[in-house]
Amino acid sequence: GLGPYRHIRDLLDERFEESDEGARLLREAACVVGLHADEATEQIVDAALKYGRPFAVVPCCVFPRLFPQRRLASGGAVRTTAALCDYLLQKAPGLEAGFLPVAGRNKVIFRRAAAPPQP
């Protein structure tokens, strides 16, 4: 069976990915999850795609001034939560969206199963 979940409180950055523990965790994670992850939302998706892991994120804050380079496939800027969800869904084929039965931000972007890693 599966072991208990593990909460990691660390920055998901290059240092983490290059560390032995960080790289192992990302390669072996059953799922990478981010709930109200703020600035880390896109990094969670990117890491899950890079390592071929299933993931789920609930996007909330957009931070358009912090991430002005984010653009939709249409060329539009990512300035709303709805646009951020669309932007994340455009990162790779096979990503899905759904809704959690909770109040507040509840749109979840996810990939159900592991896939080949993307460089």
Side-chain angles (χ1 to χ4, degrees):
L2 297 175
Y5 75 91
R6 184 162 175 213
H7 175 256
I8 308 297
R9 188 176 179 105
D10 203 342
L11 291 176
L12 183 53
D13 59 6
E14 198 171 286
R15 179 205 50 80
F16 181 80
E17 283 191 55
E18 291 174 356
S19 71
D20 290 340
E21 180 183 25
R24 183 183 59 74
L25 286 169
L26 288 168
R27 278 193 315 272
E28 298 175 5
C31 186
V32 183
V33 178
L35 303 174
H36 199 61
D38 289 336
E39 296 101 325
T41 300
E42 184 175 7
Q43 288 173 293
I44 291 167
V45 173
D46 289 346
L49 293 174
K50 179 178 178 179
Y51 288 90
R53 306 317 310 150
F55 72 88
V57 293
V58 177
C60 53
C61 304
V62 180
F63 299 103
R65 289 186 187 152
L66 189 59
F67 301 106
Q69 74 283 2
R70 289 178 177 163
R71 295 279 179 229
L72 297 167
S74 66
V78 176
R79 298 194 167 281
T80 66
T81 304
L84 178 58
C85 290
D86 290 343
Y87 170 78
L88 295 172
L89 286 165
Q90 293 172 6
K91 285 189 161 281
L95 304 187
E96 300 179 61
F99 292 91
L100 300 174
V102 297
R105 300 279 187 224
N106 64 351
K107 187 169 185 176
V108 59
I109 308 300
F110 63 97
R111 180 168 61 184
R112 294 175 190 263
Q118 296 180 359

